[in-house]
Amino acid sequence: MIKTVNICKNFNKTLEVLKNISFNVEKNEVVCIIGPSGAGKSTFLRTLNHLETIDEGQIYIEDKLMYDCHRGVNRVKMSGNERNKTLLEVGMVFQRFNLFPHKTALENVMLAPLHVRRLPLYEVHKKALQIMERVGLGDKVNVYPSQLSGGQQQRVAIARALAMEPRIMLFDEPTSSLDPELAGEVLAVIKQLANGGMTMIVVTHEMGFAREAANRVVFMYEGRMLEEGSPQDLFNCPKHERTRQFVMMGSRE
């Protein structure tokens, strides 16, 4: 579903944020990426849907070569429409909810299918109601974001991403701004998606969630994917000393 080959990303030509990352995600797989702040986790996630450009390397989405970059120049010749059509298969949920405050929860969920996919209103409305029920907010469809808790707002953000019917979901620390109780609400929805077979990459500091929901866990450090394995192997028997330190600190929290 997603494949990267030796991707590199620099900021200001001197700060190496991503260093030769090669990585695969298979269909229906749930991969959690963990690591200390500044490891490059969020930057890596953002390169997958072109919110960040890469300087070197290749990115494939569903076996389609999207980017083959050398010194910041993409050598793949593809029309903008074709590229955007493929990128629409990749949904993303951010740390910040980014909901439109003047729109109701339901209207926020309906916006992209109406204006980007240009689907009929009746179809979008019906689908949005179903998704709001799916994330446990069927009784909040006509409520504005300011009237919702942080956990509820993040669940609306997840519903908004799902409304585009993506084949892959990216989550960038979706609970980092929430207290533990509200974070639990959001993690329950993500687990539900995982159990339903959604292909997902989740950048998270929630070690318990990574243990329970992931098929594979990746530890990033200083722009590299230092170690990866099953949750059991990585958390119980980490091979790298830096992974061991991080896991031990996480288990104390």
Side-chain angles (χ1 to χ4, degrees):
M1 296 293 280
I2 287 180
K3 177 182 177 182
T4 69
V5 180
N6 294 326
I7 66 170
C8 300
K9 170 68 179 178
N10 301 327
F11 286 132
N12 299 324
K13 298 183 179 180
T14 56
L15 179 61
E16 289 185 286
V17 182
L18 302 177
K19 306 172 184 177
N20 294 304
I21 292 184
S22 296
F23 176 75
N24 295 328
V25 179
E26 304 298 332
K27 185 177 181 181
N28 305 129
E29 189 176 21
V30 178
V31 178
C32 284
I33 301 178
I34 63 172
S37 297
K41 306 182 300 296
S42 293
T43 300
F44 171 70
L45 210 65
R46 291 168 66 87
T47 66
L48 300 179
N49 60 1
H50 203 49
L51 292 177
E52 293 282 0
T53 58
I54 59 174
D55 296 301
E56 302 286 341
Q58 300 173 330
I59 298 177
Y60 296 80
I61 296 177
E62 295 192 286
D63 287 332
K64 182 179 292 186
L65 180 60
M66 302 289 292
Y67 304 98
D68 181 9
C69 294
H70 180 59
R71 295 183 179 178
V73 177
N74 184 16
R75 297 176 288 194
V76 175
K77 304 301 180 184
M78 182 184 294
S79 71
N81 286 339
E82 184 181 359
R83 193 182 309 278
N84 290 337
K85 184 178 179 181
T86 302
L87 289 175
L88 285 176
E89 301 296 332
V90 185
M92 188 160 182
V93 176
F94 302 87
Q95 298 177 34
R96 297 184 180 276
F97 320 128
N98 297 322
L99 301 176
F100 289 104
H102 63 291
K103 300 285 187 182
T104 66
L106 186 68
E107 288 170 339
N108 269 277
V109 174
M110 292 174 61
L111 274 174
L114 281 174
H115 297 289
V116 179
R117 289 206 184 272
R118 300 187 182 280
L119 298 175
L121 176 60
Y122 74 90
E123 181 181 328
V124 171
H125 185 264
K126 179 180 178 181
K127 184 73 174 180
L129 287 173
Q130 292 172 344
I131 295 172
M132 289 290 285
E133 288 285 352
R134 186 176 176 186
V135 300
L137 294 174
D139 60 339
K140 303 291 184 182
V141 293
N142 294 317
V143 173
Y144 289 89
S146 62
Q147 299 169 297
L148 297 171
S149 70
Q152 289 170 333
Q153 290 185 58
Q154 189 63 295
R155 282 188 279 160
V156 173
I158 293 172
R160 177 181 57 190
L162 291 175
M164 292 293 285
E165 299 185 336
R167 291 169 55 81
I168 305 159
M169 284 284 284
L170 310 178
F171 292 88
D172 185 11
E173 299 188 22
T175 61
S176 64
S177 61
L178 303 175
D179 65 41
E181 185 175 357
L182 297 180
E185 298 176 7
V186 175
L187 293 174
V189 171
I190 300 175
K191 285 180 187 177
Q192 181 187 61
L193 294 176
N195 293 336
M198 175 67 77
T199 304
M200 298 193 296
I201 305 175
V202 185
V203 170
T204 183
H205 288 294
E206 301 281 354
M207 300 298 104
F209 171 79
R211 282 179 181 271
E212 294 175 18
N215 303 113
R216 184 160 44 106
V217 180
V218 176
F219 176 70
M220 281 190 71
Y221 181 64
E222 294 185 342
R224 301 184 188 277
M225 290 189 168
L226 204 60
E227 185 171 348
E228 65 177 90
S230 69
Q232 182 176 359
D233 289 344
L234 191 133
F235 285 113
N236 296 339
C237 305
K239 298 175 183 176
H240 198 283
E241 178 59 28
R242 187 63 185 87
T243 314
R244 190 175 299 113
Q245 293 171 0
F246 184 83
V247 168
M248 287 181 64
M249 287 297 294
S251 66
R252 293 173 189 165
E253 296 178 355

